């Protein structure tokens, strides 16, 4: 079980190591050679002395241009001690593995992201003996993936989007498209990704919505009819299932928020056969004051 957002923020890269190199390209805009192989290494960097030093996630990446060590640190808040430990980690790991270390800091907080991105310089001013330039992944550079099609295109990146924006106002807009996209991956991966996202959600209402969405996903994977549709990829069945799920989810969001739903509203939502319209109604359900507000505008 993933017990905290700190653990989830770096463990997502252990679940899908290739996501980290895609983050270099799509989020950080930093060139990185195409990986050939990944290996998650022991993250313990403790010395013989009784002081434990441990990075969050450590991976070795083999590329055509050589091997790299990716050091991933999840950071919840500013901590000036890190400006001493991060250079130590990189120097120690280079000495131990003899390949280039790359520090990546991931956070859900914009202020922390700006702090972490500041270069760490050690030595004489203007002639530093050591300079560390962390690469930072956070809510300011990870895109908000609020479209089901975009989420299906790259499910791990959509998971990263939900996690890094999990403490912000845009979290709710990401959850439903992501839940539908998780149906395109295998059940085990969907369950792991679901846990990681839940650990990063700060708002209790968003957590409740996500838990219910995950219940729907578990039903989807355990339902033989849904399984047949998923395996055979029948577009008609997929479309019908999406309509039914989206309509049901719209009504459930209103019920979770204790908003009365009249029979007329229920019938109109369930009778709708326009997936785009249902998506609009589902988003309005998150903030609507009355059930009838779904149809305003």
């Amino acid at each position: 079980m993933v017990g905290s957002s700190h653990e989830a923020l770096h463990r997502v890269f252990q679940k899908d190591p290739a996501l980290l190199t895609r983050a270099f390209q799509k989020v950080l805009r930093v060139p990185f050679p195409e990986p050939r192989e990944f290996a998650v290494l022991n993250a313990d960097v403790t010395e013989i002395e009784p002081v434990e030093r441990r990075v969050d996630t450590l991976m070795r990446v083999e590329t055509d241009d050589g091997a790299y060590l990716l050091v991933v640190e999840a950071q919840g808040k500013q901590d000036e001690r890190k400006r001493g430990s991060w250079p130590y980690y990189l120097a120690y790991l280079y000495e131990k593995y003899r390949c280039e270390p790359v520090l990546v800091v991931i956070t859900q907080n914009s202020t922390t992201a700006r702090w972490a991105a500041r270069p760490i310089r050690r030595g004489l001013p203007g002639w530093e003996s050591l300079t560390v330039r962390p690469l930072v992944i956070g809510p300011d550079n990870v895109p908000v993936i609020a479209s089901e099609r975009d989420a299906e295109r790259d499910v791990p990146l959509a998971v990263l989007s939900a996690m890094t924006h999990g403490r912000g106002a845009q979290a709710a807009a990401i959850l439903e498209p992501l839940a539908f996209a998780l149906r395109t991956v295998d059940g085990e991966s969907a369950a792991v990704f679901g846990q990681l996202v839940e650990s990063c959600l700060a708002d209790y209402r968003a957590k409740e919505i996500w838990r219910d969405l995950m219940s729907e996903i578990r039903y989807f994977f355990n339902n033989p009819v849904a399984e047949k549709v998923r395996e055979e990829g029948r577009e008609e069945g997929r479309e019908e299932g999406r309509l039914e799920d989206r309509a049901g989810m719209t009504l459930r969001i209103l019920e979770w928020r204790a908003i009365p739903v009249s029979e007329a509203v229920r019938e109109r939502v369930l009778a709708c056969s326009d997936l785009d319209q249902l998506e609009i109604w589902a988003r309005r359900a998150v903030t609507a004051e009355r059930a009838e507000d779904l149809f305003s505008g």
Side-chain angles (χ1 to χ4, degrees):
M1 290 287 292
V2 180
S4 67
S5 61
H6 178 278
E7 189 176 1
L9 282 169
H10 67 86
R11 277 190 56 184
V12 67
F13 298 115
Q14 296 180 20
K15 172 59 183 170
D16 186 343
L19 171 63
L20 188 56
T21 56
R22 292 204 300 282
F24 275 93
Q25 301 163 0
K26 298 183 179 182
V27 176
L28 299 170
R29 309 295 181 185
V30 173
F32 194 89
E34 191 65 30
R36 294 199 317 267
E37 181 184 351
F38 285 94
V40 178
L41 306 178
N42 187 344
D44 191 348
V45 292
T46 306
E47 290 185 352
I48 298 176
E49 63 186 54
V51 178
E52 182 176 338
R53 296 183 174 92
R54 182 182 296 272
V55 299
D56 289 331
T57 284
L58 178 64
M59 291 185 292
R60 182 187 179 102
V61 184
E62 298 287 347
T63 76
D64 290 335
D65 295 338
Y68 292 88
L69 289 177
L70 300 184
V71 183
V72 185
E73 286 279 279
Q75 196 68 27
K77 60 183 180 180
Q78 299 181 35
D79 182 355
E80 287 302 320
R81 292 175 300 176
K82 292 290 188 180
R83 299 181 68 78
S85 57
W86 284 341
Y88 167 81
Y89 293 161
L90 300 184
Y92 174 86
L93 290 170
Y94 177 78
E95 180 64 21
K96 181 176 181 179
Y97 293 102
R98 288 295 169 174
C99 57
E100 299 298 336
V102 179
L103 174 62
V104 180
V105 179
I106 180 166
T107 182
Q108 295 178 291
N109 184 280
S110 296
T111 302
T112 303
R114 289 191 291 272
W115 165 81
R118 286 163 40 202
I120 302 169
R121 296 185 172 91
R122 296 288 176 260
L124 294 172
W127 196 276
E128 292 81 8
S129 300
L130 176 67
T131 301
V132 175
R133 298 177 60 197
L135 293 165
V136 181
I137 297 173
D140 292 335
N141 56 8
V142 175
V144 175
I145 299 181
S147 158
E148 183 181 335
R149 293 181 180 88
D150 290 341
E152 286 183 352
R153 236 176 251 123
D154 193 334
V155 173
L157 186 62
V159 170
L160 182 65
S161 176
M163 291 167 64
T164 50
H165 293 281
R167 296 184 180 276
Q170 303 186 87
I174 304 173
L175 298 183
E176 191 177 357
L178 175 58
F180 280 93
L182 286 180
R183 302 181 185 210
T184 63
V185 302
D186 63 276
E188 181 184 354
S189 294
V192 173
F193 284 143
Q195 266 190 30
L196 294 171
V197 170
E198 183 177 338
S199 297
C200 292
L201 296 175
D203 182 71
Y204 80 93
R205 186 175 298 163
K207 276 184 178 286
E208 288 299 315
I209 292 175
W210 183 244
R211 285 169 183 164
D212 206 80
L213 285 167
M214 288 305 297
S215 295
E216 294 287 331
I217 291 172
R218 284 191 290 272
Y219 170 80
F220 175 80
F221 280 105
N222 294 329
N223 183 288
V225 175
E227 181 70 16
K228 184 178 180 181
V229 171
R230 188 164 61 90
E231 289 180 354
E232 296 180 359
R234 296 180 299 181
E235 192 57 38
E236 182 179 350
R238 286 171 59 88
E239 188 71 12
E240 184 178 346
R242 286 177 176 177
L243 289 169
E244 182 179 342
D245 288 343
R246 188 63 58 86
M249 183 53 57
T250 301
L251 296 174
R252 277 191 291 278
I253 291 173
L254 293 174
E255 291 167 1
W256 292 328
R257 300 182 59 224
I259 294 178
V261 179
S262 68
E263 194 59 34
V265 170
R266 184 179 302 276
E267 289 180 358
R268 181 172 176 182
V269 171
L270 293 176
C272 182
S273 59
D274 184 335
L275 189 61
D276 291 335
Q277 182 63 69
L278 285 170
E279 184 172 344
I280 293 172
W281 289 348
R283 292 183 183 182
R284 288 178 182 169
V286 176
T287 57
E289 296 181 1
R290 301 178 307 123
E292 288 73 18
D293 292 344
L294 296 180
F295 316 125
S296 63

